[in-house]
Amino acid sequence: MAELTRIGLMPTRWLACGIIGTLASLLVGTAWIAFPHLMVSWEGSTYDARLRWRGPEQTTPHLVLIGRDQRSDAQLGLGIWDRAILARVVQALSEVGAAVVAADFYFTETSPPERGGAASDAALVAATKVAGNVIYPLPLILGQPDTPSKINDSDSSLDSLLFFSGSPPLNLESVRHLYPVTTMELPLPALAKAAISVGHIAASSDSDGVYRAVPAFVNLGGRPFPAFGVTIAAVFLQIPPDQIVIEPGRSLKFLGAHPLPRRTDGASQALSLPIDASGRLLVNYAGRWVDSPFPYFSFVDVWDAIEEGRLAELRQQVQGKIVLLLHAGVESDKRQTPLDTVAPGGFIHANVVNTILLGQGLRELSTLGRALVVWTLGVGATWILLAVPSWVGVGLVVTLGVMFLLLTHLALALGGAVIPVVTPLGALVAASGMALGWTRWTSSSQILRLETERIGLHRVLASTQELLARQESRAEHLEEDLATLRATIADDTAQRHTLTEQVKTLDQALAEAQKEVDTTRENLRTLEGQLSSIQITRVDRSALSDADKETLRKECESHGIITRNATMLKLFRDLKKAARVHTPVLLLGEPGTGKELFARALHKMSARTSSPFIPVNMAALPSDLFESELFGHVKGAFTGAGRDRVGFFEQAHHGTIFLDEIGDLRVDLQAKLLR
């Protein structure tokens, strides 16, 4: 029977798990839609914490940073520099064998006369053209994905820009999913033509201001346009535009990456990095800016090396490498990253290059994958709480949450997988609350059902007992009549034949009556078995800890029960459970053991505490006033009833009635009480 019950309950439990898990998932999904900025901030904070926990990441040996910092400004001047300075540095870096020179400086306006004027610009253009490996940034302002770009495709200024940028012509249909460009500031035309390529440096922070990803490509006039870091990596890897494949929501592929290790068959490897549906590449930060994860040199040190002719020393540092020139001291160029409060914008581009060259892109789960994780965690928490109720189940749910957090950390550190945290844990908490509520509701419903069934069985049992009493009385009368009739037959021979027929009739009636008695007794035993099988609750026999004993002792004392006895404390613990349900409670014990104290405590801990508590000494009730005292009467109901009387049961309506010493009540009065 227990096995059949267990099997019968399983579909109900799994159905409840599915429903509650789905509702919890919908709840956190609604919260994400209703409060997107708050949810993104929370989720981003957990991602940042995981990156910090992971620690420094591997860095490419092909990247060197040269920063314009406070030392450089102190020697070479504040504000806009004479571009002849940059020209000389670019030329020197090219001469000592730098593979790519990327200058993260704005060149959207001509130089003022006090900073060299047109001659300064011409010197930088000439140095750029001679070097043949210089990349410049393009400042852009972006709109929302899946909206048209406000830059006109027919703008003639785009043709040369896009030609030199190495814009990939593949997958143009997917361009509409990228971030559209609403405003742009073109570099000096001559400088753009002299550069080998140009990449955008559009701001792409999350809603909380943290730069966690960059748009790998944007929609510029209906054409895909690469980010500054993507352009640097593509030029360094010698990948032509037609070998770059954009698949929003899936990957950014560099086909035939030349400097990367080749397969055993000699063929070039394809480099693939995951991007989201808007073309954003999650930056795998190698470390903090203040800890300098990449080789770093102050601009003034490089300038001094050039001025002093120490080119061999410079060649040793930059030959065959990417050199990124960046602002390191300008406050307006500071950005917040997952690992830094403030870092130069060029440092973000450096990490983009590092992510691409090492092929260590971070993979975010798809929308379906995130929903599945949220739903699974919600269903798991629900199943635990439904299968393992009480504090043990709550402890297991907490363990599940901790294990999930550990999994997200390990997935990022070991596999580069970014698993969401806030929404799954939100679903876990929501599902746990729903599951606990469901358990409470189903338990209450089951208790009420058992109470109703128990009361019904008591009523049927009482009526069956009365029927049995009547049937046994009838059988006894038949036996007496039969005995009398047989005695008459022995004395009256004249009417023996007639009396014999009557004896036969009485025998048949007696047999039928005995059969009815046997049947009723069998029904009575069945009812008693059903009644004994109903268990409202199971008494907890587990041992009490010292802390539990002290807590229960104080609770007992608040109800006037002074004890340190472990058995009494366990009884009080069980009494607290019984106080939560609406069912009769039987208190057994010798006179003076505190049954009334327990009864009053039961009343105070129940939902009926605001209603009356009526104690009745059953042994002291006069038998002739029994019904009147318990059930009341109206005026004139019997001789001496001069006024209406409210019975004890009515006085205890919505409260508790305590029938003390009920075992001393006469049997006939017990029958009336039962009815």
Side-chain angles (χ1 to χ4, degrees), residues 17 51 87 107 109 124 129 132 158 161 202 231 327 386 390-391 415 490 508 547 555 570 596 619 641 671:
C17 289
L51 279 185
F107 300 103
E109 298 177 355
L124 182 58
K129 186 178 297 183
L158 292 181
L161 178 64
T231 301
H327 283 289
L386 294 184
S390 75
W391 289 107
Q508 292 177 356
E555 291 184 25
K570 285 185 179 181
E596 184 171 349

Side-chain angles (χ1 to χ4, degrees), residues 166-172 224 241-244:
S167 175
L170 302 180
N171 296 335
L172 296 183
D242 60 356
Q243 294 297 305
I244 301 177

